[in-house]
Amino acid sequence: MATGTEPSDTDARKWEYTTYAPTGEMCPACLKPIKGLERCRRGTLRRPSQPDVVVYRHLGGCPE
Ligand SMILES: [Zn+2]
């Protein structure tokens, strides 16, 4: 009996590498701005029928 062990196509996360955020970028996880030249994690949000959105999130956890 086939069970759902295949990778899900709905996993659109793609947090590939760390980089430095451009000035003024906002972290979508905590909704706080990321300081310029702060190391962060760059990713792409893929949504149906919409262009990819590049987002930057705090690296190693968001500040309290
Ligand atoms: Zn954050």
Side-chain angles (χ1 to χ4, degrees):
M1 184 172 178
T3 54
T5 54
E6 315 86 40
S8 172
D9 287 337
T10 60
D11 186 358
R13 291 172 301 166
K14 201 172 175 66
W15 305 107
E16 287 294 343
Y17 59 91
T18 61
T19 184
Y20 295 95
T23 303
E25 286 293 331
M26 192 89 84
C27 172
C30 64
L31 301 180
K32 290 179 180 175
I34 299 174
K35 286 177 285 192
L37 299 183
E38 180 178 354
R39 284 189 70 84
C40 63
R41 192 174 291 188
R42 183 186 186 280
T44 304
L45 288 181
R46 293 196 172 152
R47 296 174 297 179
S49 305
Q50 295 187 54
D52 291 354
V53 178
V54 176
V55 294
Y56 299 88
R57 301 214 298 191
H58 287 111
L59 180 66
C62 296
E64 294 293 329

